[in-house]
Amino acid sequence: MVKSSRIATVRAPNPSAMTLQGTNSYLIDGGNGEGICIDPGPAIESHIRALASAAEGSKFRIRAILLTHGHPDHAPAAAALRERTAASVYAHHRSAVPHDLELDDGEGVQVGDRSIRALDAPGHTFDHLVFFEERERALFTGDVIVGEGTVVIAPPGGAMRPYQATLERLARTFDNASIIYGGHGPPVTDPAAKIREYIEHRRQRERELLDALSAGPRTIPELVARIYAQTQPLLWPAGARQILAYLIALENESRVRSTPVNRPMTTQEEAILDPDWASITGEGDAELASAELGASSCEPIRRYALIR
């Protein structure tokens, strides 16, 4: 457990390429013997015990469990922690995770002297919320922003333009935030700079994609090989899902058009577009990879071109 002020980080023991050092769960001491848990994490018994023990050590009982989103490294422990504490589980109205109460955009939760405000934050998923703790001006961003690196935006569970709009809204609304507690990695002590970095990263990746298409029509595997040339080929299937998210947005905006390529996929194309995630991430992360990166398309391979 890492404690900062009345906010404590309890990291789940699930480190991997998908989760970095592990999923961050957060405990907030609300005073008066009551507290909040944000993202109880995976259903690992030792982690659930660690959350309960940390709350007990801080002399409060968990009264509210808040979920940023329903991915399997963030939400499954909610049921067991609820059973142990009798806390109410709060989630987005689109969440498929069992919950007691729904939080709409702008709604708040008050526990003790701590007020948490929810922000609808689609993009990584469509059931994603970001939370703002007003006293310490702390943003809890789940998988919208993490402590190191960037996050996956992949269809069908995620979409690029809603994600970019979420980042822009965070920049406008929380320019006074003092710290970001992401779903993975260390805290971010310069929130405004981190949000700007994320916004620019997405713009830069789109410029790279458009530059590649300016040289002529390309398939997603061809785009991945060019744009992610400095990335390990093992990660190219994840890059392909990101590229697809951009292309869907650009095609909806009538800036790009696609046509089927009337031939079977090559072995390399199939490895990029229709991978066995377990062979890439390992069996332990296959469920998470499928949830985050989405089901592969069984459609014929397509070629994308700029509309000039």
Side-chain angles (χ1 to χ4, degrees):
M1 181 179 74
V2 178
K3 192 168 186 178
S4 172
S5 183
R6 283 162 63 180
I7 299 171
T9 306
V10 182
R11 182 165 288 155
N14 64 332
S16 71
M18 295 289 295
T19 61
L20 304 179
Q21 301 93 340
T23 302
N24 293 330
S25 298
Y26 296 102
L27 294 173
I28 304 172
D29 183 352
N32 303 324
E34 298 181 333
I36 300 164
C37 176
I38 296 178
D39 279 359
I44 299 173
E45 178 58 30
S46 63
H47 182 57
I48 296 165
R49 286 198 306 269
L51 287 168
S53 176
E56 182 180 350
S58 296
K59 297 182 171 52
F60 67 80
R61 184 180 183 88
I62 297 171
R63 292 298 189 190
I65 300 167
L66 278 56
L67 304 180
T68 61
H69 64 299
H71 275 163
D73 57 326
H74 287 261
L81 191 62
R82 178 186 184 278
E83 183 176 350
R84 188 183 293 253
T85 64
S88 296
V89 178
Y90 295 76
H92 193 281
H93 70 270
R94 296 183 68 168
S95 178
V97 179
H99 54 278
D100 303 296
L101 296 162
E102 294 177 350
L103 286 172
D104 290 326
D105 187 58
E107 288 190 327
V109 177
Q110 183 81 33
V111 174
D113 63 8
R114 295 291 168 132
S115 178
I116 306 287
R117 179 159 50 106
L119 178 85
D120 191 13
H124 177 71
T125 65
F126 291 102
D127 69 342
H128 208 299
L129 295 169
V130 162
F131 300 111
F132 185 64
E133 197 284 311
E134 296 176 358
R135 177 167 292 196
E136 298 189 31
R137 294 182 289 120
L139 270 173
F140 297 87
T141 53
D143 280 354
V144 171
I145 296 173
V146 294
E148 59 184 67
T150 56
V151 298
V152 173
I153 309 300
M160 189 57 65
R161 292 297 186 249
Y163 178 67
Q164 290 174 297
T166 289
L167 292 177
E168 295 284 357
R169 188 179 178 195
L170 289 178
R172 291 192 310 270
T173 307
F174 299 108
D175 58 348
N176 68 330
S178 64
I179 193 165
I180 288 175
Y181 293 106
H184 308 276
V188 175
T189 56
D190 189 346
K194 177 60 73 171
I195 296 169
R196 286 196 302 271
E197 175 190 323
Y198 265 52
I199 290 170
E200 180 53 33
H201 170 76
R202 293 300 169 184
R203 290 173 178 168
Q204 176 61 30
R205 190 65 83 199
E206 185 167 324
R207 285 194 292 267
E208 292 171 353
L209 171 58
L210 293 172
D211 284 348
L213 289 176
S214 69
R218 298 284 186 273
T219 64
I220 288 179
E222 289 169 339
L223 291 166
V224 168
R226 172 168 171 162
I227 294 169
Y228 292 94
Q230 303 306 313
T231 302
Q232 296 180 29
L234 185 69
L235 300 177
W236 283 7
R241 304 301 292 166
Q242 300 268 33
I243 292 295
L244 177 60
Y246 284 108
L247 289 169
I248 288 172
L250 291 166
E251 196 159 14
N252 288 339
E253 294 162 357
S254 298
R255 299 170 64 191
V256 164
R257 65 171 171 267
S258 68
T259 54
V261 177
N262 295 316
R263 60 168 174 75
M265 285 191 284
T266 67
T267 300
Q268 183 179 23
E269 289 169 340
E270 191 168 1
I272 293 172
L273 295 177
D274 190 20
D276 173 11
W277 293 116
S279 69
I280 297 171
T281 65
E283 289 290 344
D285 264 355
E287 180 188 5
L288 178 57
S290 179
E292 295 227 1
L293 299 172
S296 298
S297 172
C298 295
E299 294 183 3
I301 188 170
R302 304 183 73 83
R303 181 172 286 112
Y304 295 83
L306 293 178
I307 297 176
R308 301 180 186 274

